[in-house]
Amino acid sequence: MNLQQRYFFIFFLIAFNILHLKAQKIGDWTSYLPYQSGITVAQSESKVYYGTEWSIVQIDKEDFSSKRISKVDGLSDIGVKEIEFDDTNDQLIIAYTNGNIDFLKDQEVINLPNIKLNTDLIGTKSVNNINISGDMIYLSTGFGLVTISSNDLLFGSTTFTDIPVQESVIFEDQIFISTDEGVFFAPSDGSENLIDFSLWHHIDESFGLPILYSSSGISVYEDQLYFVADDKLYRWDNGRLTEIWTSSSDNISLGFLSSDGDFLMLGVIGNDRRGDVFFYDGQTFLKSGNGCNDVIQDVIQDQFGRVWYADEYGGFRTTENIQSDCQHLNFNSPLSHEVSDIAIRDNEVYVASGGVKDNYDYSFTRSGYYFLENRDWQNINQDNEIFIKENDLLNFLKIKPHPNKEELYIGTYWGGLLKVDEAADSFTLFDESNSALLGTIGDEQRERITGLQFDLENNLWVTSFGSPRPLALLDEDGQWTNFSLGSNKNLIDVVQDEFGYLWIPAFGNNGGCYVFDPGSDLAASEDDNWRFITSSSSNMTTNVVNTVAVDLDGAVWIGTAEGPIIFDCGSDPFDLASCSGDRVKVLQDSIVAFLLADQDILSIEVDGANQKWFGTRNGIFVQSPDGEEEIYRFTVDNSPLFDNRIRDLAFNRESGELLIGTDRGLQSFKTPSTEGKPIHLDTEVLVYPNPVHPNYDGPIAVKGLVRDALVKITDINGNLVTEVRAQGGQAVWNGEDISGRKVQTGVYLIFSTDDKAFDRP
């Protein structure tokens, strides 16, 4: 090894007069949520706010510039149900499906979790509507009507109705609510006890309505009250009802009402869930603009006459007026929140959308797959790819890019293995008709692919759930072979260790994990060898095995329903005496315990520093390389994590991002580590940010180093400032000297070595 490969130095500038480029900092979270479905829309004087199921999109009315706001940006939760803008207090009110409430004002979020945390509430806590009247906020919920003061954000009264409340309005000193059992009203001036729902008046058959009916919407327009009763629209005139609109077809039902504009806007829904909006000016109804009529959830009109539609199917749409052509507002994002498998190649992210339930039944997921290339998301599924549609491919469970070819392989839990030629943009489907993949026992028409792994020679190993020969090989020459292991045919993944052995977990209480040696002749069975690891033949405490990962030192980590177990067997995993697995011992409250023994390990990933990321049903545990020390603990309560159920984890070796697939979307965490290099190369070492702005308060990183390199930082005269040890291929410096003081502006030198040479006399 030459001198430059063992030692490396560069210089960089800490400046006080140069702006640094904005970049993702170590410790930052990033969301990769879908922006393809709108469920609610609200407006301020200058902005339009769309609510998706997962987050908020803010759009400027003048230039149409947009901003996304999610839990990683400070919101307290995920699962938006309803939004409304409070003009008086200049704040956006956000209600979530679990009853949580956020107030967003001046980029600050104030959270009111009272409803969410109240365990005594009976009925769903979801907020169906937010109505602002004066200094009072009325929340229509699944259990009743709740009031909050908009000035001090203190909860007031709660009317428990025992029926879901859909909306509320104040009209002529009365408060009206629409519910699943009709419209009720009571004085709003305090003359009666609103908490006692028995004192409320029901608009019933005495007013000419049926005894039983449902009201999905109520609104005040031009100083008159309107509400929906079943499939009719009524106007309330001093206690008398006037029928304004009725459905002309049994296939049409009435949905929402909105008076946020110059018209009363009525949502109409067909049996196929497709809908329209009708605009009422007090005399006549006009139908909505062309192309904005899929599965409309909400609509508003702004001061310029533009109409903004929230559509469950088509996302966010607008028209210049009520009958002009529709303009779709497209946002660069994945198609869906669904994630089952994440793969990364050359800084590109590939995501499979899923296809199985916990018991490995079909979930009939049709979202296909997505990939992020040059910061641009592409979504591929039956809606936009004719090959996938013609072959009726769904349940895209596993995804694996070829290591050095422009090929992508996707395992469907339905119709076999899909090969994508990325250069030619063409598709090939491998199933029982043209490969060694076999149908499922008892469901022979379905090839259920559950695992994909390229070996050291770039041959592709494939597992299929329930197949009579559930392990298959597609070699580099395009030839197929299949294999039969033990009696458990329900294989769920395949991973190769550094010695070429395959580790293959099997599903169920009688599962376990196979270790398979294909021998030197991959196509022949004579030199094959396999072992089935169970709780009776190892130190595992359960046979429920979910995942397998190989760390940077070659040890195999198996994730079970009762924590992880390590098989550090070297080149002989078939030696039962020396390869029975080890459980990591840790201290919990000064008591020795086994690492995560009470956790169901669903996914394991290894970052550039050889730290172990364990995805569980209760969030993420990040442990030191040996597993004994906790580095991070992420849950929905202490971090921007979307959901505690972790589907998959994947480490981007180049950027240091740890991709996290949850039940409620894809996100990432910027780790301090990257992949370590075998030698120092001056074309790969990078300091960022460089130069460093004086107001910058984040870490300064040096990436592209030899794994776990020792890094020393000196001033321009060679005086030692501090030293740090790289995490994988990246060293992180906090900008302080060895005494803990911030360094001054100037030029600094970085020296890096892959051994202890600096420590020698």
Side-chain angles (χ1 to χ4, degrees), residues 15-87:
F16 284 90
N17 57 356
I18 303 177
L19 294 175
H20 77 86
L21 297 177
K22 183 178 180 180
Q24 187 186 27
K25 296 190 300 185
I26 293 168
D28 279 356
W29 291 78
T30 300
S31 65
Y32 299 105
L33 291 168
Y35 291 90
Q36 316 288 340
S37 177
I39 61 173
T40 180
V41 59
Q43 65 176 318
S44 67
E45 183 69 20
S46 60
K47 303 288 191 298
V48 171
Y49 299 89
Y50 278 105
T52 79
E53 188 177 354
W54 317 108
S55 61
I56 303 294
V57 178
Q58 172 188 293
I59 301 174
D60 188 278
K61 290 181 180 179
E62 292 291 341
D63 60 13
F64 278 56
S65 61
S66 63
K67 177 182 179 182
R68 306 179 191 189
I69 310 169
S70 71
K71 192 178 181 185
V72 304
D73 305 300
L75 298 185
S76 63
D77 220 320
I78 195 167
V80 176
K81 179 63 183 296
E82 184 71 12
I83 61 174
E84 189 62 56
F85 196 84
D86 178 5
D87 292 296

Side-chain angles (χ1 to χ4, degrees), residues 429-447:
L429 181 63
F430 295 110
D431 55 22
E432 189 167 359
S433 68
N434 62 350
S435 73
L437 300 172
L438 302 178
T440 305
I441 299 172
D443 191 8
E444 285 75 12
Q445 300 301 311
R446 302 294 166 212
E447 297 89 355

Side-chain angles (χ1 to χ4, degrees), residues 42 128 148 218 223 280 472 487 543-544 547 550 629 670 700:
N128 299 317
I148 301 175
I218 190 166
D223 296 324
Y280 181 63
S487 60
N543 290 328
V544 179
T547 187
V550 181
E629 178 186 356
K670 179 80 168 189
I700 302 166

Side-chain angles (χ1 to χ4, degrees), residues 342-350 401 650-653 657 659:
I342 309 166
I344 301 171
R345 179 190 62 189
D346 297 334
N347 217 26
E348 297 177 2
V349 179
Y350 299 84
F651 181 64
N652 189 330
R653 298 177 296 176
E657 270 189 293
L659 277 295

Side-chain angles (χ1 to χ4, degrees), residues 231-409:
D231 293 333
K232 295 182 179 181
L233 175 66
Y234 292 93
R235 184 174 61 232
W236 174 265
D237 295 310
N238 296 319
R240 293 182 297 106
L241 289 178
T242 302
E243 184 179 314
I244 302 300
W245 198 94
T246 185
S247 172
S248 60
S249 170
D250 293 337
N251 297 325
I252 297 295
S253 61
L254 304 191
F256 62 84
L257 282 180
S258 173
S259 56
D260 198 350
D262 295 334
F263 298 86
L264 179 67
M265 294 168 278
L266 171 65
V268 179
I269 306 169
N271 286 348
D272 60 356
R273 299 189 69 242
R274 299 289 171 135
D276 278 309
V277 174
F278 287 87
F279 297 85
Y280 181 63
D281 62 3
Q283 299 294 326
T284 58
F285 286 90
L286 295 174
K287 193 176 179 180
S288 60
N290 182 33
C292 283
N293 53 356
D294 280 312
V295 188
I296 301 173
Q297 302 294 302
D298 199 6
V299 62
I300 61 172
Q301 186 182 34
D302 67 20
Q303 68 269 35
F304 306 111
R306 284 190 298 249
V307 184
W308 303 80
Y309 300 85
D311 194 283
E312 180 182 335
Y313 180 78
F316 322 116
R317 308 174 179 193
T318 185
T319 57
E320 286 300 313
N321 54 62
I322 65 172
Q323 290 192 300
S324 60
D325 288 342
C326 192
Q327 177 183 352
H328 291 247
L329 306 175
N330 298 314
F331 295 92
N332 179 27
S333 73
L335 174 68
S336 168
H337 70 284
E338 296 165 312
V339 179
S340 61
D341 193 30
I342 309 166
I344 301 171
R345 179 190 62 189
D346 297 334
N347 217 26
E348 297 177 2
V349 179
Y350 299 84
V351 182
S353 61
V356 299
K357 301 177 182 178
D358 282 353
N359 61 357
Y360 275 80
D361 279 347
Y362 303 122
S363 64
F364 301 101
T365 304
R366 296 183 178 272
S367 298
Y369 69 97
Y370 349 110
F371 60 94
L372 180 63
E373 181 181 24
N374 297 324
R375 308 182 69 85
D376 185 38
W377 282 100
Q378 301 292 327
N379 301 287
I380 311 297
N381 54 51
Q382 290 188 8
D383 290 336
N384 58 18
E385 178 48 59
I386 188 64
F387 186 92
I388 296 176
K389 182 177 182 178
E390 289 178 344
N391 288 278
D392 189 32
L393 294 180
L394 57 150
N395 297 335
F396 283 49
L397 184 62
K398 292 291 183 177
I399 194 163
K400 185 74 68 173
H402 194 285
N404 50 32
K405 293 182 181 179
E406 292 187 78
E407 295 176 354
L408 180 66
Y409 292 83

Side-chain angles (χ1 to χ4, degrees), residues 96-287:
Y96 301 91
T97 54
N98 58 8
N100 211 356
I101 308 291
D102 275 344
F103 290 81
L104 177 60
K105 182 176 182 179
D106 298 329
Q107 308 305 313
E108 179 185 1
V109 175
I110 300 174
N111 178 235
L112 297 185
N114 305 53
I115 296 176
K116 172 186 175 181
L117 300 178
N118 191 329
T119 58
D120 295 327
L121 293 176
I122 299 175
T124 175
K125 299 178 182 181
S126 181
V127 175
N128 299 317
N129 176 257
I130 304 169
N131 175 39
I132 304 171
S133 180
D135 60 357
M136 193 64 67
I137 301 168
Y138 296 86
L139 304 179
S140 299
T141 76
F143 58 86
L145 186 70
V146 180
T147 64
I148 301 175
S149 169
S150 62
N151 295 325
D152 53 20
L153 302 186
L154 294 178
F155 280 86
S157 63
T158 298
T159 304
F160 293 99
T161 59
D162 293 329
I163 51 176
V165 179
Q166 301 301 330
E167 293 186 351
S168 72
V169 296
I170 304 295
F171 179 69
E172 294 182 344
D173 298 324
Q174 304 278 339
I175 180 168
F176 291 77
I177 59 173
S178 62
T179 78
D180 287 0
E181 295 184 7
V183 176
F184 296 81
F185 66 95
S188 62
D189 58 5
S191 60
E192 292 186 10
N193 182 13
L194 293 182
I195 296 178
D196 187 352
F197 190 55
S198 67
L199 300 178
W200 288 59
H201 307 282
H202 187 206
I203 302 179
D204 54 17
E205 66 271 18
S206 63
F207 295 91
L209 290 177
I211 296 176
L212 297 175
Y213 70 95
S214 175
S215 179
S216 59
I218 190 166
S219 189
V220 174
Y221 170 69
E222 297 291 336
D223 296 324
Q224 292 183 308
L225 179 69
Y226 296 83
F227 65 84
V228 172
D230 288 337
D231 293 333
K232 295 182 179 181
L233 175 66
Y234 292 93
R235 184 174 61 232
W236 174 265
D237 295 310
N238 296 319
R240 293 182 297 106
L241 289 178
T242 302
E243 184 179 314
I244 302 300
W245 198 94
T246 185
S247 172
S248 60
S249 170
D250 293 337
N251 297 325
I252 297 295
S253 61
L254 304 191
F256 62 84
L257 282 180
S258 173
S259 56
D260 198 350
D262 295 334
F263 298 86
L264 179 67
M265 294 168 278
L266 171 65
V268 179
I269 306 169
N271 286 348
D272 60 356
R273 299 189 69 242
R274 299 289 171 135
D276 278 309
V277 174
F278 287 87
F279 297 85
Y280 181 63
D281 62 3
Q283 299 294 326
T284 58
F285 286 90
L286 295 174
K287 193 176 179 180

